[in-house]
Amino acid sequence: MTELRNVERELHRFRSRVLAAAAFVLLGFSLVGARLFYLQVVQHEKLSARAEANRIAVLPSVPNRGLILDRNGVVLATNYSAYTLELTPSKLEKSLEHTIDELSQLVEITPRDRRRFKRLLEEGKSFESMPLRNRLTDAEVARFTAQRFRFPGVEVKARLFRQYPLGEIGSHLIGYMGRINQAEKKAMEDWDEDLQANYRGTDYIGKLGIEQSYETVLHGTTGFEEVETSAGGRAVRRLRTHPPTPGNTVVLSVDIKLQAMVEELFGERRGALVAMDPRNGEVLAFVSKPTFDPNLFVDGIDVDNWRELNESIDKPLLNRALRGTYPPGSTFKPFMAMAALTTGKRNASQVIYDNGSFQFGNHTFRSHGDHGLGPVDMHRSIVMSSNVYYYSLANEMGVDLMHDQLEPFGFGRRTGIDIQGEATGILPSTEWKRRTYKRPEQKKWFAGETISLGIGQGYNNFTMLQVANAMSTLLSGGQRPAPHLVREVQDVVSHQKRPVEHQALPPLALKPEHVEIIKRAMYGVTQEGTSTRVFAGAPYKSGGKTGTAQAVTVRQNERYNAARLAEHQRDHSLYLAFAPLEAPTIALAVIVENAGFGAAAAAPIARRVFDYWLLGNYPSEDDIAATRRGQSVAPIGAPRRAEDIPLPGAEAQAGAVPASAPQSVAQGTATEVRR
């Protein structure tokens, strides 16, 4: 039996399916159209920028670092460019060791280069480009370039390197450049966005001294290049260039020839000297001995040199002028005398009998070899350096009054000099002791502890910068300009010189007649006192004060005997001085560690500094040799004219650059120009 088809029903079903399919297709096209509209219209600008970014690479251009000059235009830090062989570990197709071994067949790679690269690899990241070998010669560059296809992830780059033409001279005040480490990279994350952007492409920054403290002034402004790239990332053509702006030139107040002379006078001895202009706070010499060669750090210092510097008993990396703290010894006495005059505890004519010792309770505080000076007034107490006078004065004043009177001179606090890392020092008080010690019995101040403070011993510990700054404050009648190393900044574009402003502290209310008493007493030190022989024949008048400070404590029932002590345990030699007497233009503080009496080692250096600064004299070779041995008093031999003495490294000052450097080399000239 044949079933009849229901045509009408099937047509209805067919139409329904067609409509459903059409609706589905229409919905699909609508979604595609909506997405197309979203991408082409709504997201047009964003996607266009992304496409352009894929096509264009923006490469940072690191600027030339600014020069550092001394006050007379001598170049202390400059730049040169050289070729480097660099590896990006993540892009290497072979093992790192195998790649380096193959490269060593084309380019000389020393064990030092390998050690330095290994250290950089530990500090950095595998996707960063790291230098394996610096200062490639043109021949080495040519050999590698011909074989470059064999070494993916290896390339030759031209990089800027810092150069210090004078080597070790002034290294602590100039500082050095070094590769940015991980801690510094993390600290940079807190910088504002503009400053972070300016350091893109920068691998090296200042680490110490002026290089560190004036980093942003010296760095310059980073430029960029827009380069069109292929899909594979290969540069096709340069689209746009914005050249970098070199860093500005920093001009110091330091006279580097004076600095070099003082460092030569120290010889192999340890110590520090700070010389200042009391009229404006300019630092004229900032010496720390021993020194180091900052050029060792430019490429990344190797393990052997680092160990030698870091583990040396002489601590050549310690900036003794900035961070070395010492008991001031008798150089503290002029400030104690000023405090006595200010507070009325003593007047200049009051006489104290010095019998050679001071008894406090059951303890005897000694004087010079237990020899008394007899009746002593304030003038004679400074000229002859009476200990008993200042033992009794300290006992009368008490520790807190001493602290309150001497702290405004800058003792026990940072001076605010314009480089980082300054030590605070210690000017004790009862409050200081409560804060410093933990156990209750240690927190108490005992009256006997006050006595030795009067002669600059006990807890007293200051830097030579603080002592020189205090002397400048006294000489200027209480004016307190901030001590500073940078005199001005020269704009690299406009060439305009901008004096650097340094914030002064409010002046102290010192009475001129009190200042004159101290100055005259210190003048007496050079005429009839402890440094008479050193300043014999000087054609100018100066003031000074010798000091001898204990490096180790001598027991009450023992006598000091340098011959029985190891060299590092002997007394320190100090001298505090200024010149000329009537209108001082220079004040200094100097310490020669473990060198004994102040007049024997420190004072002769001060005399030669004054001869240089006031007379333009440079000591004879025989005089330098005698002073280095600690066997000089007044200068011997015929002095030379300072302007005739060349600086060490004169060939570098003449513009010499390592032979491997490409043509884009140092900025500026390297000749000395007096002004």
Side-chain angles (χ1 to χ4, degrees):
M1 186 173 178
T2 303
E3 181 179 356
L4 297 178
R5 298 174 61 187
N6 189 334
V7 178
E8 290 295 330
R9 187 174 61 185
E10 290 184 2
L11 286 174
H12 178 72
R13 185 181 301 167
F14 175 76
R15 291 190 186 99
S16 298
R17 290 173 178 173
V18 169
L19 289 173
F24 181 77
V25 170
L26 182 61
L27 178 62
F29 275 104
S30 298
L31 292 174
V32 170
R35 181 61 177 170
L36 188 62
F37 177 81
Y38 177 77
L39 294 175
Q40 292 285 350
V41 179
V42 178
Q43 295 280 27
H44 171 75
E45 291 186 5
K46 179 180 179 180
L47 296 178
S48 177
R50 186 180 298 177
E52 190 70 9
N54 291 334
R55 183 179 71 90
I56 298 174
V58 180
L59 306 176
S61 300
V62 180
N64 279 8
R65 194 169 179 85
L67 302 178
I68 300 176
L69 311 179
D70 89 328
R71 67 187 295 122
N72 298 311
V74 178
V75 177
L76 308 180
T78 184
N79 313 297
Y80 69 91
S81 60
Y83 295 115
T84 65
L85 184 67
E86 304 206 4
L87 280 69
T88 305
S90 63
K91 294 182 179 180
L92 300 180
E93 294 183 354
K94 300 178 182 179
S95 70
L96 180 62
E97 288 298 326
H98 183 73
T99 300
I100 294 176
D101 289 340
E102 288 190 337
L103 286 170
S104 65
Q105 298 175 15
L106 301 174
V107 175
E108 181 183 7
I109 298 174
T110 65
R112 177 182 182 275
D113 294 327
R114 292 175 183 259
R115 291 194 300 268
R116 183 168 46 85
F117 183 80
K118 182 179 180 181
R119 182 169 57 82
L120 291 175
L121 191 62
E122 292 172 351
E123 295 176 354
K125 299 176 182 177
S126 63
F127 56 81
E128 294 179 330
S129 178
M130 301 178 191
L132 172 63
R133 163 74 195 284
N134 294 322
R135 300 189 182 96
L136 298 180
T137 65
D138 291 340
E140 288 173 326
V141 172
R143 284 200 300 270
F144 171 77
T145 302
Q147 299 291 322
R148 182 179 179 182
F149 65 93
R150 295 172 46 202
F151 301 99
V154 184
E155 58 184 335
V156 170
K157 292 184 178 181
R159 286 187 179 269
L160 285 172
F161 290 90
R162 200 64 160 164
Q163 184 188 28
Y164 302 97
L166 301 183
E168 294 188 2
I169 296 174
S171 57
H172 286 98
L173 73 95
I174 299 168
Y176 65 89
M177 295 286 292
R179 194 175 181 88
I180 301 173
N181 58 38
Q182 290 299 318
E184 289 162 338
K185 288 179 180 178
K186 187 170 183 62
M188 286 179 172
E189 294 175 0
D190 297 330
W191 292 1
D192 61 60
E193 293 183 3
D194 290 341
L195 190 55
Q196 288 188 47
N198 195 39
Y199 273 78
R200 286 175 186 154
T202 299
D203 296 320
Y204 295 83
I205 61 172
K207 296 286 186 175
L208 289 175
I210 297 297
E211 291 279 28
Q212 179 187 39
S213 300
Y214 285 82
E215 167 65 34
T216 55
V217 176
L218 291 164
H219 180 269
T221 304
T222 299
F224 64 86
E225 288 184 351
E226 287 186 356
V227 180
E228 186 175 2
T229 59
S230 65
R234 185 174 62 87
V236 176
R237 63 191 176 99
R238 184 181 299 167
L239 300 177
R240 188 161 64 100
T241 300
H242 188 282
T245 303
N248 293 325
T249 297
V250 171
V251 181
L252 307 185
S253 59
V254 170
D255 184 325
I256 201 64
K257 186 173 286 189
L258 172 61
Q259 177 93 12
M261 185 192 78
V262 174
E263 291 182 9
E264 188 177 10
L265 291 170
F266 265 92
E268 299 300 318
R269 299 174 296 178
R270 302 171 303 280
L273 178 145
V274 176
M276 295 175 56
D277 187 333
R279 300 169 298 180
N280 52 28
E282 287 187 352
V283 176
L284 310 175
F286 197 75
V287 175
S288 175
K289 285 286 291 183
T291 56
F292 63 92
D293 186 356
N295 291 299
L296 292 173
F297 293 87
V298 171
D299 298 343
I301 191 168
D302 64 275
V303 175
D304 293 337
N305 279 318
W306 172 252
R307 184 180 295 115
E308 182 179 349
L309 290 173
N310 196 46
E311 297 179 2
S312 170
I313 191 173
D314 292 331
K315 300 185 183 301
L317 294 177
L318 172 64
N319 188 338
R320 286 169 162 82
L322 187 73
R323 298 194 54 77
T325 58
Y326 309 89
S330 293
T331 62
F332 199 54
K333 292 174 181 176
F335 303 101
M336 284 290 296
M338 175 58 75
L341 292 171
T342 302
T343 58
K345 289 292 183 179
R346 294 269 172 90
N347 59 54
S349 60
Q350 185 175 345
V351 174
I352 301 295
Y353 190 82
D354 182 347
N355 63 359
S357 64
F358 181 81
Q359 194 72 28
F360 185 85
N362 60 357
H363 189 94
T364 300
F365 292 87
R366 297 173 178 169
S367 191
H368 305 286
D370 296 335
H371 297 302
L373 297 174
V376 176
D377 62 5
M378 183 172 287
H379 179 90
R380 194 160 187 263
S381 75
I382 294 175
V383 171
M384 304 307 295
S385 199
S386 168
N387 281 357
V388 171
Y389 186 95
Y390 292 97
Y391 287 145
S392 63
L393 177 59
N395 186 44
E396 292 173 26
M397 292 185 68
V399 62
D400 287 332
L401 181 58
M402 291 165 55
H403 174 275
D404 293 345
Q405 286 296 310
L406 296 171
E407 193 271 343
F409 283 93
F411 291 114
R413 60 176 173 82
R414 294 183 179 91
T415 66
I417 193 171
D418 53 343
I419 55 174
Q420 300 176 32
E422 182 181 1
T424 304
I426 299 173
L427 179 65
S429 65
T430 54
E431 174 60 27
W432 167 83
K433 198 174 184 187
R434 281 195 295 268
R435 292 196 318 265
T436 303
Y437 291 94
K438 295 181 179 179
R439 297 204 301 265
E441 63 272 20
Q442 293 177 313
K443 292 176 177 290
K444 182 180 178 182
W445 185 272
F446 296 96
E449 295 176 308
T450 305
I451 309 303
S452 58
L453 298 179
I455 63 165
Q457 294 287 169
Y459 293 111
N460 285 325
N461 262 281
F462 313 123
T463 65
M464 289 302 101
L465 173 60
Q466 289 174 331
V467 178
N469 183 56
M471 186 77 260
S472 295
T473 299
L474 193 152
L475 293 172
S476 63
Q479 299 302 313
R480 296 191 291 174
H484 54 275
L485 290 160
V486 173
R487 200 180 197 188
E488 60 189 19
V489 172
Q490 182 175 340
D491 189 279
V492 73
V493 177
S494 66
H495 302 292
Q496 291 183 342
K497 296 178 181 179
R498 172 178 56 84
V500 177
E501 298 294 332
H502 301 279
Q503 187 65 42
L505 294 173
L508 304 182
L510 302 182
K511 293 184 178 180
E513 57 270 26
H514 292 168
V515 173
E516 192 63 23
I517 290 170
I518 305 302
K519 287 174 61 179
R520 286 291 165 181
M522 293 182 72
Y523 172 60
V525 173
T526 69
Q527 301 303 302
E528 53 180 319
T530 50
S531 62
T532 303
R533 294 177 61 205
V534 175
F535 284 87
Y540 51 82
K541 294 180 179 180
S542 67
K545 183 68 195 79
T546 54
T548 306
Q550 291 180 346
V552 294
T553 302
V554 178
R555 295 178 183 175
Q556 185 176 3
N557 60 349
E558 293 180 348
R559 293 183 183 275
Y560 175 78
N561 188 334
R564 295 182 180 178
L565 296 174
E567 192 268 343
H568 279 74
Q569 295 179 322
R570 297 171 187 168
D571 289 349
H572 301 315
S573 173
L574 298 99
Y575 197 68
L576 174 67
F578 65 90
L581 176 65
E582 300 303 333
T585 60
I586 183 170
L588 65 80
V590 55
I591 183 169
V592 184
E593 293 183 10
N594 312 115
F597 182 49
I605 295 176
R607 165 70 191 269
R608 284 140 186 87
V609 170
F610 290 167
D611 285 357
Y612 175 97
W613 190 253
L614 301 176
L615 307 176
N617 288 346
Y618 203 95
S620 67
E621 292 183 0
D622 289 342
D623 190 45
I624 291 174
T627 304
R628 287 161 65 101
R629 295 192 302 268
Q631 297 175 352
S632 67
V633 281
I636 59 176
R640 297 169 287 177
R641 292 197 310 171
E643 60 186 20
D644 294 337
I645 305 300
L647 279 165
E651 67 283 353
Q653 282 292 311
V657 182
S660 59
Q663 290 182 350
S664 57
V665 291
Q667 306 161 292
T669 60
T671 56
E672 181 179 358
V673 181
R674 287 272 171 188
R675 57 183 175 80

